[in-house]
Amino acid sequence: MPSSRPAVRPARGGLAARRRLVTGGEVRLSDLGEPDLVAFGLFPQLLGDALATWRPGITRTVATSNDGSMEIRLALLPGGGQAEVRTPDGVLCGPEHLMEIIDLSADRGGEEA
């Protein structure tokens, strides 16, 4: 059965999608807003990679995308309450974090074809 949802690029995404996710410093997870569909295809993988490293007792983590092009830094915001991130598929809910997303390929001067 064909999907009525727009096609989302593969998780590695393109240069433009990465640029839309770059935060330019720390932001509250709840302030992320609703990323567009292309950029959002990258976001859950990055967030999942960071959360997969989370262990009891830690309050900060860093993860890099599988292709090494993006880095996400998460820091638990004590007393920050709950964050809600609206997506085209619903709402992600969880503890509030400070988050920073960095395009590592920009540091290398890399451009995608």
Side-chain angles (χ1 to χ4, degrees), residues 19-107:
R19 285 183 178 156
R20 284 192 292 276
L21 275 182
V22 171
T23 58
E26 288 187 329
V27 297
R28 286 175 164 265
L29 186 57
S30 60
D31 290 340
L32 184 62
E34 185 174 328
D36 64 64
L37 284 174
V38 174
F40 188 74
L42 293 167
F43 178 69
Q45 182 176 9
L46 273 174
L47 184 60
D49 289 348
L51 293 175
T53 68
W54 211 266
R55 300 291 179 262
I58 68 168
T59 59
R60 296 182 158 276
T61 191
V62 176
T64 304
S65 62
N66 290 339
D67 67 1
S69 67
M70 301 291 291
E71 180 176 274
I72 183 170
R73 299 173 184 177
L74 285 178
L76 185 63
L77 192 57
Q82 288 289 107
E84 289 188 356
V85 178
R86 300 204 177 282
T87 76
D89 294 323
V91 179
L92 298 172
C93 299
E96 184 69 272
H97 287 75
L98 289 178
M99 174 186 70
E100 183 173 13
I101 298 176
I102 301 161
D103 181 356
L104 298 174
S105 67
D107 294 338

